[in-house]
Amino acid sequence: MLLHDGDPGRRVVLLPGARYLSQAPLLWFAREAAQAHGWSVAELDETAPEDRDPFEWMPARARQVLDETDAGLVCVVGKSLGSLAAPLVADRGLPAVWLTPLLVRPEVVDALARSAAPALAIGSPDDPTWGDGTLPENPALETLELPGLDHSLQVSGDPRASLDALGLVLERVGAFLGALPGASPRVPPSDSP
């Protein structure tokens, strides 16, 4: 796990996808957005060992990382496989951002339905893991659905359109983090040296 400086009382925990590690654009820039808002970040930078089922490994590893996190305010940002931690996150009452959550998995949808903390789900109807795109009714759950994107929230063969989509995602993630109770708004950088 990599730790990034910021307010020790506010920590974002980044959970990767199966083949989408924290250096990939969505998670890299989610970390950047969190740090721009003053959060410290714990970045889980690993994949499931070859001898472990990733669908069992992720919830167990997420529990371990969250157990080791002693910040007063914790927000989880999980990509795809990372959304398998949604039941644990809901049980602990933590806010979360779910990037391409696995809506084809009933335990993920159930956790999104019962989460009392603010949550944001971002995905595309063109991503097969988004299922039919039906998210549970929950006033704590916000949704950003971007048509025409793949599971990495990119447009195949169109880097510029992919960057535009990334910009929309990061704007929404930053706004979400900045609006959490106890979070401080983003402070623009000073023009003075």
Side-chain angles (χ1 to χ4, degrees):
M1 182 169 52
L2 304 172
L3 296 175
H4 301 274
D5 289 338
D7 180 350
R10 297 179 301 132
R11 176 158 297 155
V12 165
V13 174
L14 290 180
L15 301 176
R19 291 180 301 276
Y20 199 97
L21 295 178
S22 57
Q23 294 82 22
L26 291 169
L27 292 174
W28 178 276
F29 286 104
R31 176 182 52 80
E32 291 286 324
Q35 289 190 286
H37 284 275
W39 293 72
S40 61
V41 178
E43 178 181 329
L44 182 57
D45 181 33
E46 58 189 270
T47 59
E50 288 186 23
D51 62 339
R52 296 278 310 269
D53 176 352
F55 293 97
E56 293 174 5
W57 172 82
M58 176 51 74
R61 189 65 177 107
R63 178 178 304 280
Q64 183 181 12
V65 170
L66 289 172
D67 286 349
E68 294 171 4
T69 301
D70 59 358
L73 178 60
V74 176
C75 179
V76 174
V77 176
K79 168 73 172 92
S80 185
L81 182 69
S83 70
L84 292 177
L88 172 66
V89 170
D91 290 346
R92 293 189 180 195
L94 301 175
V97 175
W98 303 113
L99 303 167
T100 66
L102 301 178
L103 298 182
V104 294
R105 306 248 340 165
E107 68 271 27
V108 172
V109 175
D110 176 64
L112 295 176
R114 64 184 174 81
S115 178
L120 171 61
I122 301 175
S124 175
D126 297 294
D127 173 6
T129 68
W130 192 249
D132 64 4
T134 302
L135 286 157
E137 292 291 326
N138 181 344
L141 179 62
E142 299 175 41
T143 304
L144 175 60
E145 190 173 67
L146 301 166
L149 304 180
D150 62 18
H151 189 58
S152 296
L153 296 181
Q154 294 181 201
V155 179
S156 181
D158 191 341
R160 182 68 225 175
S162 296
L163 286 173
D164 291 343
L166 179 61
L168 290 171
V169 169
L170 294 178
E171 186 176 297
R172 190 68 172 270
V173 170
F176 179 85
L177 292 172
L180 288 174
S184 58
R186 182 172 189 253
V187 178
S190 171
D191 290 337
S192 60

